[in-house]
C-alpha cells in the first residue's frame, strides 16, 4: 500500500464519545451510498441552496444533542440488516463538517464495527476533514452544485473554490468519491457549465460516477410547515430530453453517470 494512503495509527486508549447535534436519522436505499443505508442527518449548514430538501437541518438550535455512543446504539439495532443488504452508514445533513469531531468519531466507530461508511458533504468546509477522518470514510458523496462560480454563489450563497480544492484533495488521497449534481432547469442546465464540470471530474481518478439528480419539488410542503418560502416552487423538474443531453455531456468526457 502506498504510504500516503495508509490510515494513521489508532489511539491505544479508549476515546471518549463525542457530542453532536442531529436533526434525525432514517433508512434509505440506493440514494445515500451503496445498499441500504442508516443515514444520520446532522444539524447546521452554512449554505442556503435554493433547492435544499432539508431546511429543518439549517440551524443547530433546531436539532437534538446526542453522543456518538447513543447513535451507535441506534445503528446497532439495524446493523445486521444493513450489512446483509450490502449497505452501511452515511453521515449527511445539514453539513457534517460543521461538527468535525462528532463526525470523525462516528465514522471511526462505524468503521471499527465493520460498517461501510459514507460522508455526504458540500465540500465547503473540507479543510475541517482531517486525513484521519477521511481514512475512516469508505466513500465521499461530494455535491458540486455548479462549475460556474457565479451560478454557484447564486444557487448556494457560498463560494465554489473550497469544494473544488476538497475534490482535488480527495483525489490525491485516493478516497473513492461519487459526485452529485442536481439538474435544475434554468439554473444548472447550461451545457457549457456542465462540460466544465465533466472535464474537471474526468481529471479526478478517484471519482467512480456522477449522480445526475433531477430537481423536484417534494419539499414544498415541508417549507410551508416551517413558515418558509421555497425559492424554486415554480420551477418544473427537468424533462427526459434535458436529462439525456446532460448525461451525454458527461459521457463525452468518459464520466459514468447514474
Amino acid at each position: 500500500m502506498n504510504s500516503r494512503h495508509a490510515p494513521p495509527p489508532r489511539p491505544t486508549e479508549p476515546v471518549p464519545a463525542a457530542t453532536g447535534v442531529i436533526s434525525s436519522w432514517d433508512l434509505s436505499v440506493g440514494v445515500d451510498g451503496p445498499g441500504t443505508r442508516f443515514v444520520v442527518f446532522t444539524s447546521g449548514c452554512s449554505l442556503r441552496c435554493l433547492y435544499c430538501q432539508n431546511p429543518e437541518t439549517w440551524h443547530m438550535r433546531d436539532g437534538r444533542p446526542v453522543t456518538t455512543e447513543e447513535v451507535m446504539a441506534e445503528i446497532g439495532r439495524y446493523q445486521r440488516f444493513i450489512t446483509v443488504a450490502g449497505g452501511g452508514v452515511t453521515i449527511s445533513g445539514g453539513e457534517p463538517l460543521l461538527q468535525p469531531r462528532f463526525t470523525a468519531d462516528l465514522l471511526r466507530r462505524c468503521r471499527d464495527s465493520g460498517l461501510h461508511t459514507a460522508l455526504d458533504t458540500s465540500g465547503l468546509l473540507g479543510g475541517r476533514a482531517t486525513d484521519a477522518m477521511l481514512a475512516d470514510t469508505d466513500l465521499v458523496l461530494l455535491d458540486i452544485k455548479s462549475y460556474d462560480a457565479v451560478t454557484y454563489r447564486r444557487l448556494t450563497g457560498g463560494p465554489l473554490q473550497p469544494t473544488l480544492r476538497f475534490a482535488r484533495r480527495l483525489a490525491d488521497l485516493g478516497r473513492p468519491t461519487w459526485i452529485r449534481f442536481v439538474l435544475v432547469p434554468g439554473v444548472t442546465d447550461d451545457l457549457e457549465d456542465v462540460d466544465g464540470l465533466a472535464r474537471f471530474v474526468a481529471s479526478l481518478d478517484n471519482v467512480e460516477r456522477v449522480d445526475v439528480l433531477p430537481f423536484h419539488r417534494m419539499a414544498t410542503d415541508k417549507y410551508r410547515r416551517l413558515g418558509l418560502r421555497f425559492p424554486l416552487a415554480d420551477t418544473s423538474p427537468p424533462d427526459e430530453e434535458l436529462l439525456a443531453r446532460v448525461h451525454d455531456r458527461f459521457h463525452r468526457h468518459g464520466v459514468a453517470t447514474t
Side-chain angles (χ1 to χ4, degrees):
M1 178 183 293
N2 189 314
S3 60
R4 71 172 181 159
H5 295 164
R10 294 290 192 204
T12 56
E13 296 296 327
V15 178
T19 299
V21 182
I22 68 170
S23 174
S24 62
W25 61 265
D26 200 357
L27 294 175
S28 74
V29 179
V31 178
D32 300 290
T36 300
R37 314 295 298 183
F38 185 101
V39 185
V40 180
F41 294 93
T42 60
S43 293
C45 187
S46 302
L47 300 179
R48 291 294 180 268
C49 300
L50 297 182
Y51 55 67
C52 179
Q53 298 298 299
N54 300 311
E56 73 279 8
T57 68
W58 287 350
H59 304 291
M60 291 183 69
R61 65 174 179 265
D62 295 329
R64 61 185 178 94
V66 293
T67 66
T68 49
E69 287 181 347
E70 290 175 298
V71 179
M72 290 304 299
E74 192 65 42
I75 292 171
R77 297 174 55 199
Y78 301 90
Q79 181 163 352
R80 185 176 181 278
F81 170 69
I82 61 179
T83 300
V84 169
V89 175
T90 298
I91 306 180
S92 184
E95 172 51 67
L97 295 181
L98 267 178
Q99 303 181 58
R101 181 171 178 267
F102 173 76
T103 297
D105 190 39
L106 188 53
L107 287 167
R108 181 183 61 81
R109 290 170 186 266
C110 288
R111 190 79 182 279
D112 287 349
S113 297
L115 289 161
H116 181 278
T117 57
L119 173 67
D120 180 8
T121 177
S122 72
L124 174 66
L125 303 178
R128 297 189 181 187
T130 64
D131 286 358
M133 177 197 292
L134 295 175
D136 287 327
T137 304
D138 293 308
L139 176 68
V140 178
L141 307 175
L142 180 61
D143 299 327
I144 303 184
K145 303 165 193 297
S146 172
Y147 194 67
D148 177 74
V150 174
T151 301
Y152 191 96
R153 174 76 70 173
R154 179 166 65 92
L155 180 62
T156 71
L160 170 62
Q161 285 305 313
T163 294
L164 302 185
R165 285 196 299 269
F166 186 54
R168 286 286 184 201
R169 181 177 165 215
L170 292 172
D172 290 343
L173 291 171
R175 303 315 299 161
T177 298
W178 294 357
I179 301 296
R180 307 217 286 185
F181 171 71
V182 179
L183 178 58
V184 186
V187 183
T188 65
D189 59 348
D190 184 284
L191 294 182
E192 289 187 9
D193 293 344
V194 175
D195 268 333
L197 178 57
R199 283 192 298 270
F200 176 74
V201 172
S203 73
L204 307 173
D205 58 11
N206 64 316
V207 174
E208 298 177 350
R209 72 190 211 192
V210 172
D211 293 334
V212 179
L213 306 174
F215 163 76
H216 58 75
R217 296 177 295 200
M218 288 189 287
T220 302
D221 287 342
K222 185 186 294 186
Y223 276 79
R224 186 178 298 114
R225 289 196 303 270
L226 293 171
L228 300 170
R229 184 183 70 85
F230 184 32
L232 299 181
D234 297 325
T235 300
S236 298
D239 59 28
E240 292 300 321
E241 181 181 351
L242 177 57
L243 278 165
R245 289 202 302 269
V246 169
H247 279 278
D248 179 64
R249 293 290 172 142
F250 283 105
H251 296 167
R252 291 183 189 185
H253 294 275
V255 176
T257 61
T258 63

